[in-house]
């Protein structure tokens, strides 16, 4: 089939192609900038970027392994149980909550016309996913070596729930960027809700520990869903509650992203107004 | 060609809204250099920012059928904790993608243009304002745009640097078009042949610069 070069469709394709090329350049350069900026703020260069999250998480793990000595469910190791929780929650926090401030932090970037507010969130998501994937691998490997165990029952489930949560976090990040830009009070509300969210996300408990009556009020949270799925993926013997399901997590992630992108489309012009 | 269609802009501060433009229209063709005239606060820089896509209008649009620079003279878009080299690297990646040959050429050009020695590898926030201008101006000269948006640039820096800037600008104006804001009216005569006078939210296009300057002076001292 030959394509008429003057057809609407052909011109549309060309527009999409050149737009995509610009956006890829923008995201690439933003990723470059994000990495060198972070490296310039810490010691030991690029390796230093990993030290901060590793340090904070190690202290958390040390404290909570002492508290949670008892069995966490099935044959799952306590350390793996806690690592899954803290890494996934911190990933959400790094992408979604910090995107809230991205409008202020990146205002000077909109000096270059190509850069759109959403590009800063795309690139931040890619950078954070990269960093926390490495952190996750390092922590889990250390736990395996230290405890002399090896248990991964379903590797693909770990990957899928990690990706789904990244998409969910990005959707929430876009939403919060728009909301805080339009209504400043949203920022204080989110900061107020941040603590309870940490407790409700199941970072250091299992959904099975929660009494049946209040379980539905907690299980809707995609973060706890992703954490529980990851734990189950490390060891099949870890009991998966009926309220947890992968299709639910994927649906919520894609739904949130769709709504956020729609809202962004409506608001993109206002976001760049001084 | 830059086409401005029904552009309106209002600023709201402390509950009071101030209209900068109301439904202004004009077209600047490729090859024409235009000066923006008007008293302080008439909206010259705002218009330049809107044409450059740094600011957005309330209604109306700017159609750009060619490459347009960012507003020169504003020191924006640079990260303070990064060195000039890294900042220039970032912008070249933005413009060229992954073409390492072009990126290297840009960095070398800016380094030799800025003449700031070792400072080129130190954090940008440690620079003096003159050094910042040297780097940002050098960066804008490293790319070739169809339109350059120039905001009061020729009035900063030491004399030697000003001379250098003028030499580069004269070379550029031969190939590209300028949209210029400058309170030094004599400097405008070197680059521009047309002018837009901004007054009370209206934009008047003049085909001759001297006529526009006459009008501008009349409006200033009326």
């Amino acid at each position: 089939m030959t394509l008429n070069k003057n057809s609407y469709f052909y011109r549309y394709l060309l527009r999409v192609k050149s737009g995509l090329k610009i956006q890829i350049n923008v995201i690439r350069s933003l990723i470059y900038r994000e990495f060198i900026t972070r490296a310039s703020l810490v010691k030991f260069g690029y390796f230093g970027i990993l030290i901060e999250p590793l340090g904070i998480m190690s202290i958390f793990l040390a404290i909570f392994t002492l508290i949670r000595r008892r069995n966490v469910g099935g044959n799952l190791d306590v350390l793996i149980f806690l690592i899954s929780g803290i890494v996934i929650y911190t990933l959400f926090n790094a992408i979604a909550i910090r995107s809230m401030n991205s409008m202020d932090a990146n205002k000077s970037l909109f000096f270059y016309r190509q850069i759109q507010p959403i590009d800063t969130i795309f690139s931040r998501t890619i950078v954070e996913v990269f960093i926390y994937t490495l952190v996750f691998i390092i922590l889990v490997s250390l736990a395996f070596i230290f405890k002399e165990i090896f248990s991964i029952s379903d590797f693909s489930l770990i990957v899928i729930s990690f990706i789904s949560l990244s998409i969910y976090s990005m959707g929430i990040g876009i939403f919060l960027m728009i909301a805080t830009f339009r209504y400043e009070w949203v920022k204080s509300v989110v900061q107020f809700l941040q603590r309870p969210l940490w407790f409700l996300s199941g970072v250091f408990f299992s959904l099975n520990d929660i009494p049946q009556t209040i379980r539905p009020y907690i299980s809707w949270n995609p973060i706890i869903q992703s954490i529980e799925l990851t734990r189950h993926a490390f060891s099949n013997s870890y009991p998966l509650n009926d309220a947890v399901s992968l299709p639910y997590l994927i649906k919520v992630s894609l739904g949130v992203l769709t709504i956020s992108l729609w809202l962004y489309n409506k608001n993109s012009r206002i976001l760049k107004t001084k | 060609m830059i086409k401005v269609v029904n552009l309106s802009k209002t600023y709201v501060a402390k509950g009071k809204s101030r209209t900068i433009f109301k439904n202004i229209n004009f077209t600047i063709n490729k090859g024409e250099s235009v000066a923006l005239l008007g008293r302080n606060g008439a909206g010259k820089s705002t218009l330049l920012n809107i044409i450059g896509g740094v600011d957005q209008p309330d209604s109306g649009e700017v159609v750009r059928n060619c490459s347009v620079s960012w507003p020169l003279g504003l020191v924006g878009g640079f990260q303070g904790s990064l060195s000039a080299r890294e900042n220039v690297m970032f912008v070249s990646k933005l413009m060229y993608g992954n073409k390492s040959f072009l990126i290297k050429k840009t960095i070398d050009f800016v380094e030799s243009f800025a003449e700031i020695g070792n400072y080129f590898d130190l954090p940008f926030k440690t620079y003096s304002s003159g050094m910042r201008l040297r780097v940002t101006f050098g960066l804008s000269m490293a790319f070739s745009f169809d339109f350059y948006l120039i905001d009061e640039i020729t009035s900063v820096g030491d004399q030697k640097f000003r001379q250098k800037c003028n030499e580069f600008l004269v070379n550029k104006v031969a190939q590209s078009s300028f949209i210029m804001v400058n309170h030094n009216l004599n400097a405008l005569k070197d680059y521009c042949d047309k002018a837009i006078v901004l007054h009370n939210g209206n934009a008047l296009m003049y085909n001759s610069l001297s006529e526009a300057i006459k009008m501008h002076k009349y409006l200033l001292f009326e």
Side-chain angles (χ1 to χ4, degrees):
Chain A
M1 192 188 86
T2 53
L3 217 53
N4 182 2
K5 290 206 167 169
N6 278 321
S7 70
Y8 175 78
F9 183 63
Y10 185 79
R11 279 182 288 144
Y12 177 76
L13 274 187
L14 278 185
R15 255 210 339 267
V16 168
K17 193 184 153 205
S18 73
L20 259 183
K21 211 175 150 191
I22 291 171
Q23 189 163 24
I24 287 169
N25 282 354
V26 166
I27 290 173
R28 261 192 187 153
S29 46
L30 283 176
I31 290 172
Y32 164 79
R33 182 183 148 115
E34 191 103 6
F35 270 121
I36 53 170
T37 307
R38 283 174 195 222
S40 72
L41 295 174
V42 293
K43 282 183 179 172
F44 312 119
Y46 290 107
F47 184 67
I49 301 172
L50 293 179
I51 289 178
E52 195 207 330
L54 280 175
I56 292 172
M57 286 178 190
S58 306
I59 293 167
F60 167 87
L61 291 172
I63 295 169
F64 275 86
T65 24
L66 289 178
I67 296 171
R68 281 211 69 137
R69 274 274 163 93
R70 65 191 182 81
N71 195 3
V72 289
N75 291 324
L76 188 68
D77 189 78
V78 188
L79 214 46
I80 301 292
F81 174 86
L82 289 169
I83 290 171
S84 312
I86 188 72
V87 171
I88 287 175
Y89 178 78
T90 317
L91 175 73
F92 170 80
N93 196 60
I95 298 173
I97 308 291
R98 284 207 220 144
S99 292
M100 200 167 67
N101 304 319
S102 75
M103 283 303 290
D104 293 331
N106 295 310
K107 212 160 228 173
S108 67
L109 284 176
F110 304 137
F111 187 68
Y112 304 104
R113 193 170 53 250
Q114 301 92 314
I115 302 178
Q116 301 295 329
I118 204 167
D119 294 328
T120 61
I121 293 189
F122 284 155
S123 55
R124 157 159 293 162
T125 304
I126 294 168
V127 169
E128 299 290 4
V129 166
F130 178 76
I131 290 174
Y132 283 100
T133 306
L134 281 183
V135 167
F136 203 15
I137 292 170
I138 291 171
L139 286 176
V140 168
S141 315
L142 285 177
F144 283 167
I145 294 166
F146 181 64
K147 294 258 177 138
E148 293 179 356
I149 44 160
F150 180 83
S151 84
I152 293 178
S153 304
D154 191 347
F155 183 70
S156 56
L157 184 59
I158 299 176
V159 176
I160 292 169
S161 63
F162 199 80
I163 292 172
S164 304
L165 193 89
S166 312
I167 292 170
Y168 171 72
S169 311
M170 192 168 80
I172 296 286
I174 296 167
F175 175 77
L176 286 181
M177 174 182 75
I178 299 164
T180 48
F181 184 79
R182 300 209 67 154
Y183 312 103
E184 213 144 292
W185 51 265
V186 175
K187 197 173 276 185
S188 33
V189 171
V190 172
Q191 274 157 1
F192 177 73
L193 292 176
Q194 210 174 338
R195 286 293 136 195
L197 185 67
W198 189 75
F199 284 108
L200 293 177
S201 296
V203 177
F204 52 86
F205 62 81
S206 160
L207 200 54
N208 301 313
D209 300 344
I210 306 292
Q212 184 106 47
T213 43
I214 57 168
R215 227 178 262 163
Y217 301 104
I218 293 177
S219 66
W220 61 268
N221 184 352
I223 306 171
I224 201 174
Q225 297 261 341
S226 170
I227 291 174
E228 290 285 281
L229 283 167
T230 308
R231 287 168 180 165
H232 180 71
F234 272 111
S235 168
N236 267 341
S237 60
Y238 179 78
L240 200 58
N241 196 280
D242 287 341
V244 180
S245 85
L246 183 63
Y248 170 78
L249 176 63
I250 294 173
K251 273 181 219 163
V252 171
S253 306
L254 293 180
V256 166
L257 184 66
T258 312
I259 293 169
S260 303
L261 287 177
W262 177 75
L263 277 175
Y264 178 78
N265 197 21
K266 292 273 165 211
N267 287 289
S268 61
R269 192 162 158 153
I270 298 162
L271 285 175
K272 283 189 89 181
T273 306
K274 276 185 180 166
Chain B
M1 186 184 70
I2 293 177
K3 201 171 167 187
V4 170
V5 188
N6 286 333
L7 204 72
S8 295
K9 177 81 182 172
T10 311
Y11 277 125
V12 182
K14 290 188 177 169
K16 283 183 185 168
S17 69
R18 228 163 56 80
T19 304
I20 312 282
F21 318 118
K22 208 164 177 209
N23 287 330
I24 60 171
N25 288 287
F26 57 83
T27 306
I28 303 171
N29 293 315
K30 224 168 153 174
E32 295 175 349
S33 287
V34 176
L36 294 182
L37 299 171
R39 65 171 64 191
N40 288 20
K44 302 184 293 292
S45 295
T46 306
L47 183 58
L48 215 59
N49 281 344
I50 290 175
I51 292 173
V54 180
D55 202 350
Q56 299 291 319
D58 295 335
S59 64
E61 59 173 341
V62 179
V63 183
R64 309 176 192 90
N65 288 335
C66 47
S67 61
V68 180
S69 80
W70 49 82
L72 275 66
L74 289 172
V75 180
F78 269 51
Q79 173 89 19
S81 63
L82 300 181
S83 69
R85 187 185 301 282
E86 287 161 333
N87 274 305
V88 171
M89 179 86 171
F90 165 70
V91 180
S92 348
K93 272 179 178 282
L94 198 66
M95 305 298 288
Y96 291 133
N98 251 8
K99 296 177 188 119
S100 49
F101 166 71
L102 289 171
I103 292 172
K104 195 182 172 302
K105 213 173 108 184
T106 311
I107 294 174
D108 290 345
F109 174 84
V110 179
E111 191 173 7
S112 66
F113 183 92
E115 294 173 349
I116 55 170
N118 291 337
Y119 269 98
F120 203 70
D121 286 309
L122 292 178
F124 194 68
K125 61 184 172 209
T126 61
Y127 294 12
S128 72
S129 57
M131 287 155 76
R132 285 176 194 203
L133 186 81
R134 280 165 177 267
V135 175
T136 49
F137 187 77
L139 180 65
S140 358
M141 287 295 115
F143 303 104
S144 59
F145 296 102
D146 293 331
F147 275 95
Y148 282 85
L149 311 176
I150 301 171
D151 196 346
E152 299 272 2
I153 200 159
T154 46
S155 52
V156 218
D158 58 37
Q159 205 179 355
K160 194 179 160 228
F161 179 67
R162 260 197 331 240
Q163 230 168 21
K164 195 172 173 179
C165 284
N166 278 328
E167 269 169 41
F168 267 87
L169 286 176
V170 167
N171 277 334
K172 282 281 176 196
V173 83
Q175 307 142 20
S176 318
S177 305
F178 286 3
I179 301 178
M180 254 184 140
V181 173
N182 204 328
H183 284 288
N184 178 2
L185 299 174
N186 289 322
L188 290 173
K189 284 177 185 160
D190 296 341
Y191 307 109
C192 304
D193 29 53
K194 289 188 168 190
I196 293 170
V197 178
L198 296 172
H199 186 69
N200 284 347
N202 296 314
L204 295 166
M205 184 89 171
Y206 285 85
N207 280 329
S208 117
L209 181 66
S210 50
E211 219 171 285
I213 288 176
K214 241 184 257 166
M215 188 63 192
H216 170 60
K217 280 183 176 163
Y218 170 74
L219 289 171
L220 267 185
F221 297 113
E222 68 175 344

